[in-house]
Every structure is written in C-alpha cells, then in structure tokens.
Amino acid sequence: MEMHPVTTQPGRQKDIDEDVLDLGDDAQDDCQPSKFLADALCYVLPPCWLRSILVVPQQKEAVVLRCGHYAGTLSEPGMTCNNPVGRTIHWVSTQLQSMNLPVRGTSTVLDANGNPLLVAAVVFYRIVNTYRATFKVNNTDQFIRVQADAILKQVIAKYPYEADGDQKSLRVHSDTIAQEMAQELQPLVEPAGIVIDSYKLAELSYAPMIAAAMLKRQQAKAVVEARQSIVFGAVDIAAQAATQIQQLEGVEMTDSDRAMLVSNLMTVLCSETDERS
C-alpha cells in the first residue's frame, strides 16, 4: 500500500503558505528529524499501516499535525493513507452552519432613541480556510459569537425602531440593516478563515418595560392620522356640495347659508357617533 502525501486545495494554497511562514524556519527545521523518524517507524512497524488509513467525509477537512507542527490538509473526500506516527488530526467542517444570537431567548439592545428592544438574530457562515480556523483562533464558534454580538449591538444602536419619512428604521428596513451587519461582520472574522453567508434578524420588538407605552403611542398616532384623513375628505365633500348647490338654477345662497351648509356637512361627516338600530 502506498502512502499518499497530504494535499491542499490549489485555490487556498497561497493563503496557507503565507500562514505557515508564521511558524518560522527554525520550527520547521526542528521537525525534520522527527519526520524522518516517523517515516522510518511506519515502514518498520507493520501495525502502523492499519492506523494509516483515513476516510475523509464530504464537506469536512482534516488538518494534520506531525510532531506538533502543521503537515498539511486532507481536503479531498474519500479513503487515503497517511503516516500515523506522531500524527494529530483536527477535523473541520466546511458545511454551511448557523448560530443563534443570543444562545437562548433574546437580548436587550438600545436603539438610536435609547428605547430598549428585544433582539434575536441568526448568523449563517461557513469555514473556507481550515488552517486559519484551526490555528488562528482558539474556539471558532466562540470567536464568531463574540464578534457577531458586538456588531448586532453596534448597528442596532445606529437606527431608531420607528421613524418618520424616508429615514431608515429597524421595523421597516430590517432586511437592509441585516445586510449591513453581515458586511461589517465579514472583515472581523476573515482572519479566522470564515465567510459570512447572511445575517438575519429573527425577532425585533419593544422590551416589555415600554411595550405598553409604545403601543398607546402607536394607537394615538394612528387615530390622529385617521382623523386628518377624515377631516381633509370632509372639507372636499362640503366644498363640492356647496359649489354644486349654488350652481343649481333658481337656487340662491348667501354667505351665511353656505357657511351653515358646510358646518352641517362637516358635523355629519366627522361625527364619531354610530347609528344603531
């Protein structure tokens, strides 16, 4: 059985080579005697051949260390042979993964107006450089969680939950703001070999401590807008009615008659009293 060397994907070889330079020439030279010894033991001891067989699953990569030093990455799925003497393997998944923020429930974040909001988000990401994910950070999940949580609070604090006019608001422009969070998060996690696929706001609402007051505010604003629409419509109807009546043949209206007509129509049209049988 022939031993196959550890391989890496061509598209990422340059990045890995640059990262390996951080190990230093002395550290690589120190490993050479151990590497030769490992190769010799593998050929001398037949049981080592049994442990040399590895199966690399789909969407997983094996970062191989030999004698404590980086030896390469097994990225091609399938069965392969690799010298087991002095070998340590770190398995890294390259599948699309998701992370909930926070881990359970929601977190309280202040918007641009200082209103406390209940916020929950989901980050979708994948690891594209397994070398960096293994050696540049201690815990990939914890690293992403800390960075994503910081970006969440930072971006939410830039916008109000509700806004008038064309100003961006969290309630109306949540998708656009989520894209902004993904763009700001990407440079922070790139050194760990991570690509952010998307950043979604799963929940966004007022905190219970002010939810009741904000609901009353929304209701009052809706009532005012509805009354404005009713008044504007009533004015148009009353003006058109007065003009059409005055244009009728044989009908003469004084200014007081016209004012009385408009007043009566406005009273009827703007009345909130419902007729019930």
Side-chain angles (χ1 to χ4, degrees):
M1 185 179 295
E2 181 182 358
M3 290 289 183
H4 296 282
V6 180
T7 61
T8 56
Q9 293 181 0
R12 296 183 350 225
Q13 183 63 44
K14 181 179 178 181
D15 294 336
I16 293 178
D17 290 342
E18 293 176 353
D19 292 332
V20 172
L21 291 178
D22 297 338
L23 297 175
D25 296 335
D26 295 338
Q28 296 181 13
D29 292 340
D30 293 342
C31 187
Q32 294 303 319
S34 300
K35 179 179 182 299
F36 295 146
L37 178 60
D39 292 339
L41 289 175
C42 184
Y43 285 104
V44 172
L45 301 176
C48 292
W49 288 91
L50 298 177
R51 297 185 56 191
S52 66
I53 301 176
L54 287 176
V55 176
V56 181
Q58 287 279 357
Q59 296 186 327
K60 272 194 176 182
E61 293 186 5
V63 179
V64 181
L65 280 74
R66 195 172 309 283
C67 307
H69 296 277
Y70 175 71
T73 302
L74 295 169
S75 56
E76 294 296 330
M79 181 178 294
T80 185
C81 292
N82 183 260
N83 189 347
V85 178
R87 182 187 66 189
T88 303
I89 297 178
H90 293 275
W91 293 98
V92 181
S93 174
T94 57
Q95 290 179 313
L96 180 65
Q97 304 179 58
S98 63
M99 175 178 294
N100 295 322
L101 296 173
V103 179
R104 296 179 180 178
T106 58
S107 61
T108 302
V109 182
L110 300 180
D111 69 353
N113 295 330
N115 298 319
L117 306 177
L118 293 181
V119 181
V122 182
V123 180
F124 296 90
Y125 67 96
R126 68 177 74 246
I127 296 176
V128 296
N129 190 317
T130 54
Y131 174 86
R132 292 183 178 181
T134 303
F135 297 106
K136 295 298 183 180
V137 294
N138 183 42
N139 187 310
T140 306
D141 291 342
Q142 183 67 20
F143 178 77
I144 299 175
R145 190 179 304 280
V146 171
Q147 300 292 348
D149 187 64
I151 290 297
L152 177 65
K153 295 178 180 179
Q154 176 182 335
V155 175
I156 291 294
K158 293 168 54 178
Y159 301 98
Y161 181 74
E162 295 178 298
D164 297 328
D166 297 332
Q167 182 183 2
K168 279 187 178 181
S169 65
L170 296 169
R171 187 171 66 88
V172 178
H173 304 89
S174 59
D175 292 339
T176 303
I177 295 173
Q179 293 178 2
E180 178 182 345
M181 291 191 292
Q183 293 173 357
E184 293 194 13
L185 178 59
Q186 179 57 56
L188 299 179
V189 299
E190 187 173 355
I194 299 168
V195 170
I196 301 300
D197 186 77
S198 62
Y199 202 139
K200 302 293 185 181
L201 290 172
E203 182 175 345
L204 185 64
S205 61
Y206 283 116
M209 61 188 73
I210 65 167
M214 288 301 173
L215 179 60
K216 292 180 180 179
R217 175 177 172 273
Q218 293 175 355
Q219 292 175 342
K221 184 177 180 180
V223 170
V224 171
E225 292 177 352
R227 187 172 292 276
Q228 287 178 345
S229 299
I230 293 174
V231 171
F232 291 155
V235 170
D236 292 338
I237 293 174
Q240 292 178 7
T243 301
Q244 291 178 1
I245 291 175
Q246 190 173 5
Q247 292 176 352
L248 294 176
E249 185 177 356
V251 177
E252 295 183 359
M253 297 182 64
T254 62
D255 292 341
S256 60
D257 294 336
R258 190 180 300 105
M260 180 68 67
L261 174 63
V262 171
S263 176
N264 292 335
L265 287 174
M266 290 291 294
T267 300
V268 174
L269 294 173
C270 297
S271 176
E272 294 184 354
T273 303
D274 296 332
E275 294 184 0
R276 299 181 181 179
S277 56

mmCIF file of all heavy atoms in Angstrom, residues 186-227:
data_model
loop_
_atom_site.group_PDB
_atom_site.id
_atom_site.type_symbol
_atom_site.label_atom_id
_atom_site.label_comp_id
_atom_site.label_asym_id
_atom_site.label_seq_id
_atom_site.Cartn_x
_atom_site.Cartn_y
_atom_site.Cartn_z
ATOM 1 N N GLN A 186 -18.036 40.598 8.331
ATOM 2 C CA GLN A 186 -17.126 39.815 7.497
ATOM 3 C C GLN A 186 -15.650 40.145 7.736
ATOM 4 O O GLN A 186 -14.835 39.229 7.919
ATOM 5 C CB GLN A 186 -17.493 40.004 6.022
ATOM 6 C CG GLN A 186 -16.603 39.247 5.052
ATOM 7 C CD GLN A 186 -16.598 37.759 5.333
ATOM 8 O OE1 GLN A 186 -17.628 37.114 5.359
ATOM 9 N NE2 GLN A 186 -15.408 37.207 5.566
ATOM 10 N N PRO A 187 -15.222 41.428 7.739
ATOM 11 C CA PRO A 187 -13.791 41.700 7.954
ATOM 12 C C PRO A 187 -13.284 41.248 9.317
ATOM 13 O O PRO A 187 -12.094 40.952 9.456
ATOM 14 C CB PRO A 187 -13.701 43.229 7.816
ATOM 15 C CG PRO A 187 -14.917 43.635 7.072
ATOM 16 C CD PRO A 187 -15.979 42.664 7.468
ATOM 17 N N LEU A 188 -14.160 41.153 10.307
ATOM 18 C CA LEU A 188 -13.733 40.769 11.648
ATOM 19 C C LEU A 188 -13.452 39.275 11.755
ATOM 20 O O LEU A 188 -12.598 38.861 12.546
ATOM 21 C CB LEU A 188 -14.801 41.169 12.666
ATOM 22 C CG LEU A 188 -15.117 42.672 12.763
ATOM 23 C CD1 LEU A 188 -16.203 42.914 13.800
ATOM 24 C CD2 LEU A 188 -13.864 43.472 13.099
ATOM 25 N N VAL A 189 -14.166 38.463 10.982
ATOM 26 C CA VAL A 189 -13.994 37.004 11.071
ATOM 27 C C VAL A 189 -13.143 36.447 9.940
ATOM 28 O O VAL A 189 -12.808 35.255 9.943
ATOM 29 C CB VAL A 189 -15.366 36.297 11.088
ATOM 30 C CG1 VAL A 189 -16.183 36.740 12.280
ATOM 31 C CG2 VAL A 189 -16.139 36.560 9.794
ATOM 32 N N GLU A 190 -12.776 37.272 8.987
ATOM 33 C CA GLU A 190 -11.968 36.786 7.863
ATOM 34 C C GLU A 190 -10.616 36.236 8.300
ATOM 35 O O GLU A 190 -10.146 35.233 7.728
ATOM 36 C CB GLU A 190 -11.777 37.914 6.844
ATOM 37 C CG GLU A 190 -11.099 37.464 5.565
ATOM 38 C CD GLU A 190 -11.087 38.555 4.514
ATOM 39 O OE1 GLU A 190 -11.688 39.624 4.747
ATOM 40 O OE2 GLU A 190 -10.463 38.334 3.465
ATOM 41 N N PRO A 191 -9.935 36.820 9.294
ATOM 42 C CA PRO A 191 -8.654 36.233 9.729
ATOM 43 C C PRO A 191 -8.774 34.801 10.231
ATOM 44 O O PRO A 191 -7.780 34.078 10.257
ATOM 45 C CB PRO A 191 -8.206 37.171 10.862
ATOM 46 C CG PRO A 191 -8.855 38.474 10.556
ATOM 47 C CD PRO A 191 -10.180 38.107 9.972
ATOM 48 N N ALA A 192 -9.970 34.379 10.612
ATOM 49 C CA ALA A 192 -10.177 33.002 11.073
ATOM 50 C C ALA A 192 -10.630 32.081 9.950
ATOM 51 O O ALA A 192 -11.035 30.945 10.220
ATOM 52 C CB ALA A 192 -11.208 32.980 12.205
ATOM 53 N N GLY A 193 -10.584 32.546 8.699
ATOM 54 C CA GLY A 193 -10.962 31.708 7.566
ATOM 55 C C GLY A 193 -12.453 31.487 7.439
ATOM 56 O O GLY A 193 -12.886 30.446 6.941
ATOM 57 N N ILE A 194 -13.260 32.460 7.864
ATOM 58 C CA ILE A 194 -14.714 32.322 7.896
ATOM 59 C C ILE A 194 -15.345 33.304 6.920
ATOM 60 O O ILE A 194 -14.912 34.451 6.803
ATOM 61 C CB ILE A 194 -15.247 32.586 9.321
ATOM 62 C CG1 ILE A 194 -14.661 31.562 10.297
ATOM 63 C CG2 ILE A 194 -16.769 32.556 9.362
ATOM 64 C CD1 ILE A 194 -14.887 31.907 11.744
ATOM 65 N N VAL A 195 -16.366 32.843 6.209
ATOM 66 C CA VAL A 195 -17.144 33.689 5.306
ATOM 67 C C VAL A 195 -18.580 33.753 5.829
ATOM 68 O O VAL A 195 -19.197 32.714 6.100
ATOM 69 C CB VAL A 195 -17.119 33.143 3.868
ATOM 70 C CG1 VAL A 195 -18.129 33.878 2.994
ATOM 71 C CG2 VAL A 195 -15.733 33.266 3.281
ATOM 72 N N ILE A 196 -19.102 34.959 5.970
ATOM 73 C CA ILE A 196 -20.480 35.165 6.429
ATOM 74 C C ILE A 196 -21.419 35.071 5.240
ATOM 75 O O ILE A 196 -21.290 35.836 4.267
ATOM 76 C CB ILE A 196 -20.629 36.526 7.129
ATOM 77 C CG1 ILE A 196 -19.691 36.627 8.324
ATOM 78 C CG2 ILE A 196 -22.073 36.740 7.576
ATOM 79 C CD1 ILE A 196 -19.923 35.569 9.382
ATOM 80 N N ASP A 197 -22.339 34.135 5.292
ATOM 81 C CA ASP A 197 -23.309 33.968 4.207
ATOM 82 C C ASP A 197 -24.459 34.965 4.343
ATOM 83 O O ASP A 197 -24.839 35.609 3.370
ATOM 84 C CB ASP A 197 -23.850 32.539 4.208
ATOM 85 C CG ASP A 197 -24.748 32.262 3.020
ATOM 86 O OD1 ASP A 197 -24.205 32.067 1.915
ATOM 87 O OD2 ASP A 197 -25.984 32.260 3.193
ATOM 88 N N SER A 198 -24.995 35.113 5.552
ATOM 89 C CA SER A 198 -26.068 36.084 5.785
ATOM 90 C C SER A 198 -26.218 36.318 7.281
ATOM 91 O O SER A 198 -25.744 35.528 8.101
ATOM 92 C CB SER A 198 -27.399 35.609 5.190
ATOM 93 O OG SER A 198 -27.814 34.398 5.804
ATOM 94 N N TYR A 199 -26.892 37.418 7.603
ATOM 95 C CA TYR A 199 -27.150 37.805 8.989
ATOM 96 C C TYR A 199 -28.623 38.208 9.039
ATOM 97 O O TYR A 199 -29.024 39.172 8.400
ATOM 98 C CB TYR A 199 -26.243 38.978 9.363
ATOM 99 C CG TYR A 199 -25.982 39.169 10.839
ATOM 100 C CD1 TYR A 199 -24.720 39.497 11.305
ATOM 101 C CD2 TYR A 199 -27.002 39.056 11.779
ATOM 102 C CE1 TYR A 199 -24.458 39.690 12.645
ATOM 103 C CE2 TYR A 199 -26.757 39.248 13.125
ATOM 104 C CZ TYR A 199 -25.477 39.570 13.544
ATOM 105 O OH TYR A 199 -25.240 39.766 14.888
ATOM 106 N N LYS A 200 -29.425 37.480 9.785
ATOM 107 C CA LYS A 200 -30.862 37.704 9.801
ATOM 108 C C LYS A 200 -31.328 38.111 11.192
ATOM 109 O O LYS A 200 -30.851 37.573 12.199
ATOM 110 C CB LYS A 200 -31.618 36.437 9.371
ATOM 111 C CG LYS A 200 -31.253 35.914 7.988
ATOM 112 C CD LYS A 200 -31.681 36.857 6.887
ATOM 113 C CE LYS A 200 -31.402 36.250 5.510
ATOM 114 N NZ LYS A 200 -31.795 37.179 4.423
ATOM 115 N N LEU A 201 -32.264 39.060 11.240
ATOM 116 C CA LEU A 201 -32.916 39.429 12.495
ATOM 117 C C LEU A 201 -34.128 38.528 12.678
ATOM 118 O O LEU A 201 -35.108 38.629 11.948
ATOM 119 C CB LEU A 201 -33.333 40.903 12.473
ATOM 120 C CG LEU A 201 -32.190 41.921 12.526
ATOM 121 C CD1 LEU A 201 -32.715 43.331 12.305
ATOM 122 C CD2 LEU A 201 -31.453 41.829 13.849
ATOM 123 N N ALA A 202 -34.056 37.637 13.662
ATOM 124 C CA ALA A 202 -35.147 36.686 13.881
ATOM 125 C C ALA A 202 -36.282 37.301 14.689
ATOM 126 O O ALA A 202 -37.443 36.922 14.525
ATOM 127 C CB ALA A 202 -34.617 35.444 14.597
ATOM 128 N N GLU A 203 -35.974 38.238 15.580
ATOM 129 C CA GLU A 203 -37.003 38.883 16.410
ATOM 130 C C GLU A 203 -36.559 40.300 16.713
ATOM 131 O O GLU A 203 -35.381 40.561 16.991
ATOM 132 C CB GLU A 203 -37.216 38.108 17.712
ATOM 133 C CG GLU A 203 -38.308 38.698 18.597
ATOM 134 C CD GLU A 203 -38.590 37.858 19.829
ATOM 135 O OE1 GLU A 203 -38.161 36.695 19.849
ATOM 136 O OE2 GLU A 203 -39.224 38.366 20.773
ATOM 137 N N LEU A 204 -37.526 41.222 16.662
ATOM 138 C CA LEU A 204 -37.233 42.626 16.939
ATOM 139 C C LEU A 204 -38.508 43.291 17.437
ATOM 140 O O LEU A 204 -39.468 43.434 16.686
ATOM 141 C CB LEU A 204 -36.711 43.324 15.680
ATOM 142 C CG LEU A 204 -36.241 44.763 15.827
ATOM 143 C CD1 LEU A 204 -35.027 44.838 16.742
ATOM 144 C CD2 LEU A 204 -35.899 45.353 14.467
ATOM 145 N N SER A 205 -38.515 43.681 18.698
ATOM 146 C CA SER A 205 -39.708 44.289 19.289
ATOM 147 C C SER A 205 -39.313 45.115 20.501
ATOM 148 O O SER A 205 -38.188 44.993 21.011
ATOM 149 C CB SER A 205 -40.728 43.210 19.695
ATOM 150 O OG SER A 205 -40.164 42.343 20.675
ATOM 151 N N TYR A 206 -40.254 45.937 20.952
ATOM 152 C CA TYR A 206 -40.006 46.721 22.156
ATOM 153 C C TYR A 206 -39.924 45.798 23.369
ATOM 154 O O TYR A 206 -40.609 44.781 23.447
ATOM 155 C CB TYR A 206 -41.111 47.747 22.377
ATOM 156 C CG TYR A 206 -41.015 48.965 21.486
ATOM 157 C CD1 TYR A 206 -42.012 49.248 20.556
ATOM 158 C CD2 TYR A 206 -39.937 49.836 21.578
ATOM 159 C CE1 TYR A 206 -41.933 50.365 19.743
ATOM 160 C CE2 TYR A 206 -39.853 50.951 20.761
ATOM 161 C CZ TYR A 206 -40.848 51.219 19.852
ATOM 162 O OH TYR A 206 -40.762 52.317 19.041
ATOM 163 N N ALA A 207 -39.091 46.182 24.329
ATOM 164 C CA ALA A 207 -38.985 45.423 25.571
ATOM 165 C C ALA A 207 -40.274 45.578 26.367
ATOM 166 O O ALA A 207 -40.975 46.590 26.242
ATOM 167 C CB ALA A 207 -37.790 45.914 26.391
ATOM 168 N N PRO A 208 -40.626 44.588 27.194
ATOM 169 C CA PRO A 208 -41.893 44.653 27.942
ATOM 170 C C PRO A 208 -42.035 45.890 28.799
ATOM 171 O O PRO A 208 -43.146 46.371 29.033
ATOM 172 C CB PRO A 208 -41.841 43.384 28.807
ATOM 173 C CG PRO A 208 -40.946 42.453 28.070
ATOM 174 C CD PRO A 208 -39.922 43.306 27.409
ATOM 175 N N MET A 209 -40.920 46.440 29.279
ATOM 176 C CA MET A 209 -40.994 47.591 30.181
ATOM 177 C C MET A 209 -41.571 48.833 29.517
ATOM 178 O O MET A 209 -42.111 49.706 30.188
ATOM 179 C CB MET A 209 -39.602 47.896 30.735
ATOM 180 C CG MET A 209 -38.578 48.240 29.678
ATOM 181 S SD MET A 209 -36.887 48.376 30.324
ATOM 182 C CE MET A 209 -36.522 46.647 30.623
ATOM 183 N N ILE A 210 -41.467 48.931 28.190
ATOM 184 C CA ILE A 210 -42.019 50.092 27.492
ATOM 185 C C ILE A 210 -42.999 49.685 26.403
ATOM 186 O O ILE A 210 -43.497 50.545 25.680
ATOM 187 C CB ILE A 210 -40.903 50.956 26.877
ATOM 188 C CG1 ILE A 210 -40.170 50.164 25.785
ATOM 189 C CG2 ILE A 210 -39.935 51.455 27.933
ATOM 190 C CD1 ILE A 210 -39.279 51.035 24.930
ATOM 191 N N ALA A 211 -43.262 48.415 26.271
ATOM 192 C CA ALA A 211 -44.129 47.943 25.186
ATOM 193 C C ALA A 211 -45.529 48.548 25.288
ATOM 194 O O ALA A 211 -46.111 48.971 24.279
ATOM 195 C CB ALA A 211 -44.198 46.426 25.196
ATOM 196 N N ALA A 212 -46.094 48.595 26.503
ATOM 197 C CA ALA A 212 -47.455 49.138 26.676
ATOM 198 C C ALA A 212 -47.510 50.609 26.304
ATOM 199 O O ALA A 212 -48.437 51.060 25.608
ATOM 200 C CB ALA A 212 -47.908 48.920 28.113
ATOM 201 N N ALA A 213 -46.510 51.379 26.761
ATOM 202 C CA ALA A 213 -46.494 52.814 26.455
ATOM 203 C C ALA A 213 -46.328 53.048 24.960
ATOM 204 O O ALA A 213 -46.980 53.928 24.373
ATOM 205 C CB ALA A 213 -45.369 53.498 27.227
ATOM 206 N N MET A 214 -45.473 52.264 24.314
ATOM 207 C CA MET A 214 -45.259 52.429 22.886
ATOM 208 C C MET A 214 -46.493 52.004 22.089
ATOM 209 O O MET A 214 -46.777 52.563 21.031
ATOM 210 C CB MET A 214 -44.042 51.622 22.442
ATOM 211 C CG MET A 214 -42.723 52.216 22.919
ATOM 212 S SD MET A 214 -42.521 53.901 22.291
ATOM 213 C CE MET A 214 -41.035 54.411 23.158
ATOM 214 N N LEU A 215 -47.236 51.029 22.600
ATOM 215 C CA LEU A 215 -48.469 50.622 21.929
ATOM 216 C C LEU A 215 -49.497 51.753 21.973
ATOM 217 O O LEU A 215 -50.173 52.033 20.969
ATOM 218 C CB LEU A 215 -49.036 49.366 22.592
ATOM 219 C CG LEU A 215 -50.343 48.833 22.011
ATOM 220 C CD1 LEU A 215 -50.171 48.481 20.537
ATOM 221 C CD2 LEU A 215 -50.828 47.619 22.792
ATOM 222 N N LYS A 216 -49.610 52.415 23.121
ATOM 223 C CA LYS A 216 -50.516 53.563 23.217
ATOM 224 C C LYS A 216 -50.079 54.677 22.272
ATOM 225 O O LYS A 216 -50.911 55.339 21.649
ATOM 226 C CB LYS A 216 -50.558 54.069 24.648
ATOM 227 C CG LYS A 216 -51.221 53.109 25.630
ATOM 228 C CD LYS A 216 -51.233 53.685 27.034
ATOM 229 C CE LYS A 216 -51.893 52.715 28.018
ATOM 230 N NZ LYS A 216 -51.899 53.262 29.399
ATOM 231 N N ARG A 217 -48.775 54.882 22.188
ATOM 232 C CA ARG A 217 -48.253 55.912 21.284
ATOM 233 C C ARG A 217 -48.609 55.583 19.843
ATOM 234 O O ARG A 217 -49.012 56.470 19.071
ATOM 235 C CB ARG A 217 -46.745 56.023 21.458
ATOM 236 C CG ARG A 217 -46.056 56.967 20.490
ATOM 237 C CD ARG A 217 -44.576 57.050 20.802
ATOM 238 N NE ARG A 217 -43.857 57.791 19.799
ATOM 239 C CZ ARG A 217 -43.359 57.268 18.693
ATOM 240 N NH1 ARG A 217 -43.510 55.956 18.469
ATOM 241 N NH2 ARG A 217 -42.708 57.994 17.811
ATOM 242 N N GLN A 218 -48.446 54.340 19.440
ATOM 243 C CA GLN A 218 -48.783 53.934 18.086
ATOM 244 C C GLN A 218 -50.273 54.092 17.817
ATOM 245 O O GLN A 218 -50.680 54.541 16.739
ATOM 246 C CB GLN A 218 -48.344 52.492 17.858
ATOM 247 C CG GLN A 218 -46.835 52.285 17.857
ATOM 248 C CD GLN A 218 -46.451 50.823 17.746
ATOM 249 O OE1 GLN A 218 -47.301 49.939 17.764
ATOM 250 N NE2 GLN A 218 -45.156 50.547 17.642
ATOM 251 N N GLN A 219 -51.101 53.723 18.819
ATOM 252 C CA GLN A 219 -52.546 53.867 18.647
ATOM 253 C C GLN A 219 -52.948 55.330 18.521
ATOM 254 O O GLN A 219 -53.783 55.688 17.682
ATOM 255 C CB GLN A 219 -53.258 53.209 19.829
ATOM 256 C CG GLN A 219 -53.118 51.692 19.862
ATOM 257 C CD GLN A 219 -53.722 51.085 21.107
ATOM 258 O OE1 GLN A 219 -53.951 51.773 22.112
ATOM 259 N NE2 GLN A 219 -53.968 49.783 21.083
ATOM 260 N N ALA A 220 -52.341 56.193 19.351
ATOM 261 C CA ALA A 220 -52.658 57.626 19.289
ATOM 262 C C ALA A 220 -52.245 58.218 17.943
ATOM 263 O O ALA A 220 -52.973 59.018 17.341
ATOM 264 C CB ALA A 220 -51.961 58.362 20.428
ATOM 265 N N LYS A 221 -51.082 57.797 17.456
ATOM 266 C CA LYS A 221 -50.627 58.293 16.158
ATOM 267 C C LYS A 221 -51.547 57.829 15.043
ATOM 268 O O LYS A 221 -51.852 58.592 14.116
ATOM 269 C CB LYS A 221 -49.200 57.791 15.918
ATOM 270 C CG LYS A 221 -48.575 58.316 14.647
ATOM 271 C CD LYS A 221 -47.147 57.844 14.506
ATOM 272 C CE LYS A 221 -46.520 58.365 13.228
ATOM 273 N NZ LYS A 221 -45.105 57.900 13.080
ATOM 274 N N ALA A 222 -52.018 56.597 15.145
ATOM 275 C CA ALA A 222 -52.937 56.081 14.124
ATOM 276 C C ALA A 222 -54.261 56.829 14.153
ATOM 277 O O ALA A 222 -54.850 57.114 13.098
ATOM 278 C CB ALA A 222 -53.173 54.584 14.352
ATOM 279 N N VAL A 223 -54.749 57.154 15.361
ATOM 280 C CA VAL A 223 -56.003 57.905 15.488
ATOM 281 C C VAL A 223 -55.874 59.291 14.868
ATOM 282 O O VAL A 223 -56.754 59.763 14.145
ATOM 283 C CB VAL A 223 -56.422 57.997 16.963
ATOM 284 C CG1 VAL A 223 -57.583 58.984 17.139
ATOM 285 C CG2 VAL A 223 -56.820 56.625 17.483
ATOM 286 N N VAL A 224 -54.737 59.965 15.135
ATOM 287 C CA VAL A 224 -54.519 61.306 14.579
ATOM 288 C C VAL A 224 -54.473 61.258 13.060
ATOM 289 O O VAL A 224 -55.083 62.093 12.374
ATOM 290 C CB VAL A 224 -53.221 61.907 15.150
ATOM 291 C CG1 VAL A 224 -52.850 63.193 14.419
ATOM 292 C CG2 VAL A 224 -53.374 62.171 16.632
ATOM 293 N N GLU A 225 -53.748 60.291 12.508
ATOM 294 C CA GLU A 225 -53.665 60.189 11.053
ATOM 295 C C GLU A 225 -55.022 59.874 10.435
ATOM 296 O O GLU A 225 -55.377 60.423 9.383
ATOM 297 C CB GLU A 225 -52.648 59.105 10.684
ATOM 298 C CG GLU A 225 -51.210 59.466 11.042
ATOM 299 C CD GLU A 225 -50.243 58.347 10.736
ATOM 300 O OE1 GLU A 225 -50.721 57.237 10.378
ATOM 301 O OE2 GLU A 225 -49.025 58.562 10.832
ATOM 302 N N ALA A 226 -55.800 59.020 11.100
ATOM 303 C CA ALA A 226 -57.134 58.697 10.590
ATOM 304 C C ALA A 226 -58.051 59.917 10.634
ATOM 305 O O ALA A 226 -58.807 60.170 9.688
ATOM 306 C CB ALA A 226 -57.733 57.545 11.396
ATOM 307 N N ARG A 227 -57.972 60.696 11.728
ATOM 308 C CA ARG A 227 -58.826 61.883 11.833
ATOM 309 C C ARG A 227 -58.433 62.929 10.794
ATOM 310 O O ARG A 227 -59.304 63.617 10.238
ATOM 311 C CB ARG A 227 -58.723 62.464 13.246
ATOM 312 C CG ARG A 227 -59.702 63.599 13.509
ATOM 313 C CD ARG A 227 -59.669 63.991 14.971
ATOM 314 N NE ARG A 227 -60.225 62.918 15.787
ATOM 315 C CZ ARG A 227 -61.537 62.756 16.003
ATOM 316 N NH1 ARG A 227 -62.414 63.565 15.411
ATOM 317 N NH2 ARG A 227 -61.975 61.790 16.754
#
